[in-house]
Amino acid sequence: MSTRAKKVTFGALILLVVGALYAFFMTFTHIGIPCVFNLITGLKCPGCGVSRMCLALIRLDFKAAFRANAAIFCLLPMMAVTAGRLIYVYIKYGRRCDKAAQISIYCMIVILVVFGVMRNIL
């Protein structure tokens, strides 16, 4: 296994462990990380509800996951493909990003900004 592949594997394991610990903590205490944007402005940011969405996905409750954050729920396949592309390009070529991943990321940012504005208007 190459050094870059080891780095990606180690990072993925750390992310998985931290995510599992957070999910366990939230499940039993019902205390989550508050949204600073929401605390300051009273508005919902595009990421509000992601913790509830992830917990619902762990329970395979897709309806609740969609209600928690519809935009990110719908973007999950695109995020997974983009993450896979970024990992592939990094391991294979040692580059951090390529044009296809950049375009995908910009599209997701635009979608999330529009969603963030619309969820506070409606």
Side-chain angles (χ1 to χ4, degrees):
M1 186 182 289
S2 73
T3 304
R4 290 190 293 258
K6 288 178 185 176
K7 284 182 184 179
V8 168
T9 304
F10 181 72
L13 286 174
I14 294 292
L15 190 62
L16 185 65
V17 168
V18 169
L21 289 172
Y22 180 63
F24 182 77
F25 178 78
M26 253 191 84
T27 300
F28 291 104
T29 64
H30 301 288
I31 299 171
I33 299 171
C35 176
V36 177
F37 182 81
N38 182 268
L39 290 173
I40 293 171
T41 66
L43 301 172
K44 290 184 178 182
C45 77
C48 281
V50 170
S51 295
R52 290 187 309 274
M53 181 194 73
C54 290
L55 290 174
L57 287 174
I58 289 170
R59 295 187 314 268
L60 299 177
D61 186 355
F62 299 110
K63 187 176 178 182
F66 182 81
R67 279 189 314 233
N69 193 312
I72 293 183
F73 179 80
C74 293
L75 285 174
L76 281 175
M78 188 175 181
M79 289 177 181
V81 169
T82 303
R85 174 83 183 169
L86 289 169
I87 290 168
Y88 173 77
V89 167
Y90 176 68
I91 291 173
K92 182 87 171 166
Y93 305 108
R95 289 184 283 146
R96 300 278 180 192
C97 198
D98 68 341
K99 200 69 162 172
Q102 283 180 338
I103 291 169
S104 177
I105 290 167
Y106 292 141
C107 288
M108 287 186 283
I109 289 170
V110 168
I111 290 167
L112 288 172
V113 167
V114 169
F115 173 73
V117 170
M118 294 304 293
R119 83 186 307 192
N120 288 299
I121 291 174
L122 300 177

